[in-house]
Amino acid sequence: MNSRLTYLTAAALASALAGCGSGGGDSANANPNTSVATGAPMQTLTISSTQDFASGASFGAVGPYEQVTGTIRGEVDPKDPKNVIIQDLALAPVNARGMVEYSADFTMLKPKDMSKSNGVLRYDAPNRGNILTMINPTASPSDAVYLERGYVVLYSAWQGDVPKSSPARLTATVPVAKNPDGSSITGPYRAELVPSAPVPVMSLPGGVFNGTMIPYAPVSLDTAQPGFSLTRRMNETDPRTSIPAADWKFANCDTAANAFPGTPDPTRICLKGGFDPKYLYEVVYIAKDPLVMGVGLAALRDTVTFFKSKAADNSGNANPIAGRIAHTIGQGTSQSGNAMKTFLHLGFNQALDGSKVFDGMYAHVAARQTNVNTRFAVPGGGGGLRTDHTAFGQTAPRALDKDYIDNLTGQKGGVMTRCAATNTCPKFFLGLSGTEFWQLQGSPVLTDAYGFRDLAQPENARIYYYASTQHGGPGGTASISYNPTRDVYPRGTVAHFNDTFRALFLNLEDWVTKNTAPPASQVPKIADGTLVRPEDVRFPVMKGLTWAVNGTQTPIPEFNYLARYNGYPLLDFGPQYRPQDESGIATQLPPFYTGKDYAILVPQVDPSTGLTRAGIRGVEVQAPLGTSIEFNYVATPGIIDLSNLGGSYIPFHRTEAERTAAGDTRPSLESLYGNQAGYVARVTEAASSLVAQRFLLQRDAERIIQQATASPVLP
């Protein structure tokens, strides 16, 4: 099912656009307080704590590590050509030196004896301010490999709307743009409110990951203002039903004593009668005081450059890793991986002195870009068949090649166009799970806009598809859960990419530091029939299985393939928006649907097992216990959607007799392996093959074989 946007902007928004203010950083409508910048931008390092890491454990010849935590405060020159792409930078307040100020929290893992470092600074981008998985050899012993090799690992904030909701959350402070007279800049803002349960109130800024960012305040709490509306619909393509202004308020009404209309609150929306989880709600209002969110990209550029190449800050505070870093590798996962691609696309991998910021970059499970350089940007959104079609990396190019031509729009240029022009492109890895194809519109990175031909990738890039995986999770049967009221099938995939990622990251390190070429890209292709239209996927019959739910074996419905996927419409956000850069000012909200769509293709499966045919096929795919499916369906009647970022798992029958009786066409465990020894032999063969291909570390192979030996699946 291809989900399309077919609606038009509300006419009431037109009157609000007069207060939209200026465009990008090179606007003539600049801040009158801007003075000529004097000298180079300054940076100040503050270290708040230094403590032993992992209880002082020693990591091979490198020895013990320590964790350094602090803040970088810096300046951005609004006149520097390397910064002018930042939306609204010319409208940001400046200090007496004519500079725009920022601050960014960081934490760093470093060898206590820096002479034993390998000279590689690995930057891991926080995801909505959170360190997704701090390298932790206690919880994940194989992660010790990074520390044994002597990495310095840096986590530093880049997203300016993250609240300091916990001490561990890394936040960045970026300025608020103002009109030249100092008044608030205003403009239209749109958000979706997606309740998962009946609730009286929902918080802003909205979206699938609601509650994790600081919202933009409305110009008024009066919901009857022109340009304000709240609508609801069940599915994205359904007609909107307007909710009267008198029935919703900017207010908090989270207790019985504080019932509708509640207590006025610009960060929440209270609905008379409450929000119903079967509906998708959309609020549009006129917001004020946009953050200059793109400053976070400049802060990241300058922070990494400082740790890489500066001896001390402008106050003489010493860089704790000064003189020890020869190479830098940036990594981001999911939303933060999209941000790394945006960082590269907008030219921020060129440092202020013209050098490369990152020598290598790994965008992991990151099919798109992120909405960080628009007015009223919300970088922490998400996307699905039913939700967030206009709030998350929707328009910037997926393709990497600098000379890519979008044959749907005629625009030329890909993610690497700017870095190619300045000779600052990194050696680049892109990793894709199955979720990126079904839910996050991933195939246009591999094909032309119409899905007719495979794209050739740049020589400095590799793309790796992790076969039969979902967007995240530990994998293994213990990770599977089943709530039949939420998902049609057991949720999760046994197949995972955690071990694969570890091996690939070391391949990227070797490419950067030794120029050792990594394995070739591993992706599905149109040419060999492994990348196909969703309607052409052919699954086997899967039925007659059960899964434990609260201790009771519950039947799993027979698998029914519905060919649902998240479409990719071409949208028009108005003349002040630059779609090719995911930048500018959106003045049409909701945006116009142009009547054109990019093709979405998905990985083809093996008709015998239901596991995908292409990509890096991990041990769990080569020696399977069942079918890991890269999507799942929402079980709520009437809702047409994929389970958010989740896959599904349907085990094989244990014996041939059980399989035959059920009418399941997939092989049984008995027919695949014969007995437990046969299963362990297949696991061993698969692990050894992956090690030889450099897709698995030997230490992980040994662990996987040991686990298979200790986990009986057959007599």
Side-chain angles (χ1 to χ4, degrees):
M1 175 179 175
N2 189 353
S3 180
R4 287 186 168 183
L5 299 177
T6 57
Y7 47 87
L8 301 180
T9 184
L13 290 183
S15 64
L17 300 183
C20 279
S22 74
D26 55 356
S27 168
N29 201 14
N31 190 331
N33 296 319
T34 299
S35 58
V36 176
T38 57
M42 299 180 70
Q43 290 174 300
T44 303
L45 171 68
T46 302
I47 295 177
S48 56
S49 69
T50 301
Q51 59 191 29
D52 287 348
F53 178 69
S55 302
S58 186
F59 297 96
V62 177
Y65 267 67
E66 59 188 5
Q67 182 172 346
V68 179
T69 299
T71 302
I72 286 271
R73 290 177 172 81
E75 299 176 331
V76 175
D77 183 354
K79 301 299 185 182
D80 191 316
K82 296 182 181 67
N83 297 324
V84 295
I85 196 169
I86 298 173
Q87 176 62 38
D88 290 335
L89 183 62
L91 298 173
V94 296
N95 60 22
R97 289 166 32 81
M99 300 286 186
V100 174
E101 297 181 349
Y102 68 84
S103 69
D105 296 342
F106 75 88
T107 193
M108 175 190 292
L109 308 180
K110 59 175 285 292
K112 281 192 170 183
D113 182 352
M114 278 299 295
S115 70
K116 296 181 179 179
S117 168
N118 67 347
V120 175
L121 173 66
R122 167 177 166 167
Y123 170 75
D124 278 19
N127 185 298
R128 301 172 181 87
N130 302 307
I131 299 174
L132 278 185
T133 305
M134 179 178 281
I135 290 174
N136 185 351
T138 301
S140 181
S142 291
D143 277 355
V145 69
Y146 302 121
L147 308 183
E148 292 164 359
R149 291 170 81 97
Y151 282 17
V152 173
V153 185
L154 173 67
Y155 309 90
S156 180
W158 59 272
Q159 185 176 335
D161 60 345
V162 173
K164 194 70 172 178
S165 56
S166 72
R169 204 168 188 194
L170 300 178
T171 61
T173 301
V174 300
V176 173
K178 295 287 186 180
N179 281 316
D181 62 1
S183 62
S184 289
I185 292 175
T186 65
Y189 178 76
R190 168 196 175 273
E192 292 176 352
L193 304 173
V194 190
S196 58
V199 289
V201 62
M202 293 200 71
S203 60
L204 294 168
V208 175
F209 295 96
N210 197 14
T212 62
M213 291 83 70
I214 299 169
Y216 293 106
V219 295
S220 170
L221 299 186
D222 180 4
T223 56
Q225 290 283 317
F228 287 45
S229 66
L230 181 67
T231 62
R232 75 176 193 182
R233 62 200 191 279
M234 181 171 285
N235 294 299
E236 190 268 334
T237 54
D238 294 340
R240 290 164 169 75
T241 300
S242 295
I243 296 173
D247 290 349
W248 66 281
K249 303 294 180 184
F250 288 100
N252 187 17
C253 55
D254 58 351
T255 66
N258 192 30
F260 184 88
T263 303
D265 186 337
T267 70
R268 293 176 172 86
I269 292 180
C270 174
L271 178 61
K272 186 176 183 180
F275 290 90
D276 186 332
K278 72 181 179 183
Y279 290 109
L280 170 67
Y281 296 83
E282 181 181 66
V283 63
V284 179
Y285 62 91
I286 307 306
K288 64 180 181 180
D289 297 331
L291 293 168
V292 188
M293 201 74 75
V295 165
L297 300 179
L300 171 57
R301 174 196 64 198
D302 298 343
T303 296
V304 172
T305 301
F306 170 81
F307 283 119
K308 179 181 182 180
S309 59
K310 300 295 178 64
D313 69 9
N314 293 93
S315 299
N317 299 309
N319 174 1
I321 57 175
R324 296 294 182 177
I325 301 302
H327 306 283
T328 51
I329 301 175
Q331 189 277 137
T333 296
S334 189
Q335 177 244 19
S336 51
N338 291 322
M340 295 300 287
K341 289 169 69 178
T342 300
F343 177 91
L344 182 61
H345 174 57
L346 295 182
F348 287 97
N349 206 48
Q350 182 185 27
L352 293 179
D353 64 2
S355 64
K356 290 182 185 179
V357 177
F358 293 112
D359 303 304
M361 184 177 289
Y362 197 150
H364 178 47
V365 290
R368 306 197 275 182
Q369 294 195 38
T370 196
N371 177 19
V372 67
N373 198 44
T374 58
R375 181 170 291 179
F376 297 111
V378 180
L385 192 155
R386 181 173 175 255
T387 56
D388 261 358
H389 274 253
T390 68
F392 185 76
Q394 279 291 105
T395 61
R398 305 287 202 273
L400 303 178
D401 185 62
K402 66 181 179 64
D403 296 321
Y404 171 73
I405 296 177
D406 184 334
N407 45 13
L408 200 64
T409 65
Q411 292 174 349
K412 180 179 178 180
V415 172
M416 294 189 180
T417 297
R418 285 188 175 88
C419 69
T422 58
N423 196 30
T424 56
C425 289
K427 293 179 167 67
F428 184 85
F429 279 10
L430 174 62
L432 301 173
S433 77
T435 303
E436 277 70 71
F437 290 91
W438 295 93
Q439 186 177 336
L440 299 174
Q441 308 157 320
S443 67
V445 74
L446 301 177
T447 79
D448 70 301
Y450 297 118
F452 292 154
R453 62 180 179 87
D454 300 305
L455 296 179
Q457 302 300 333
E459 291 184 2
N460 66 308
R462 299 288 189 274
I463 303 179
Y464 298 110
Y465 158 56
Y466 319 122
S468 297
T469 60
Q470 64 181 9
H471 193 66
T477 54
S479 70
I480 308 300
S481 64
Y482 192 22
N483 180 350
T485 65
R486 180 190 65 182
D487 306 302
V488 174
Y489 307 107
R491 184 166 186 163
T493 54
V494 169
H496 66 95
F497 46 67
N498 303 317
D499 299 330
T500 305
F501 171 85
R502 193 177 296 111
L504 287 174
F505 197 94
L506 299 191
N507 286 327
L508 179 57
E509 179 204 333
D510 287 344
W511 199 15
V512 167
T513 63
K514 303 174 184 176
N515 205 28
T516 300
S521 295
Q522 302 290 312
V523 296
K525 298 178 181 178
I526 296 170
D528 63 10
T530 56
L531 188 65
V532 299
R533 310 280 167 171
E535 60 269 22
D536 293 331
V537 176
R538 297 291 180 263
F539 279 95
V541 176
M542 297 181 271
K543 64 179 181 178
L545 282 306
T546 63
W547 198 265
V549 178
N550 298 323
T552 301
Q553 289 297 318
T554 301
I556 301 172
E558 178 177 353
F559 182 74
N560 180 27
Y561 176 58
L562 302 175
R564 290 179 181 168
Y565 65 96
N566 188 16
Y568 186 4
L570 181 62
L571 304 174
D572 181 358
F573 289 83
Q576 297 184 61
Y577 184 79
R578 302 191 306 280
Q580 69 275 17
D581 286 336
E582 195 80 28
S583 298
I585 305 171
T587 55
Q588 292 176 172
L589 291 176
F592 293 138
Y593 169 55
T594 64
K596 300 178 181 179
D597 293 88
Y598 292 92
I600 295 296
L601 280 68
V602 297
Q604 181 60 282
V605 303
D606 185 306
S608 172
T609 64
L611 295 158
T612 56
R613 292 167 46 195
I616 300 175
R617 306 179 83 243
V619 172
E620 300 82 9
V621 178
Q622 295 188 47
L625 299 176
T627 303
S628 291
I629 304 168
E630 299 173 326
F631 55 85
N632 206 330
Y633 298 130
V634 171
T636 305
I639 290 181
I640 301 173
D641 205 357
L642 304 175
S643 299
N644 189 43
L645 303 182
S648 49
Y649 179 70
I650 301 179
F652 294 148
H653 288 275
R654 187 166 174 269
T655 69
E656 273 295 284
E658 292 168 348
R659 180 196 70 77
T660 302
D664 192 311
T665 62
R666 299 171 301 158
S668 66
L669 295 177
E670 181 181 61
S671 68
L672 281 174
Y673 309 117
N675 53 32
Q676 179 68 12
Y679 170 64
V680 173
R682 183 73 67 85
V683 167
T684 302
E685 178 186 6
S688 299
S689 174
L690 289 165
V691 169
Q693 297 173 78
R694 298 160 60 197
F695 295 139
L696 186 67
L697 301 181
Q698 182 62 39
R699 67 201 298 164
D700 286 322
E702 292 170 0
R703 171 181 51 82
I704 292 167
I705 294 167
Q706 183 180 36
Q707 290 172 343
T709 303
S711 304
V713 299
L714 284 167

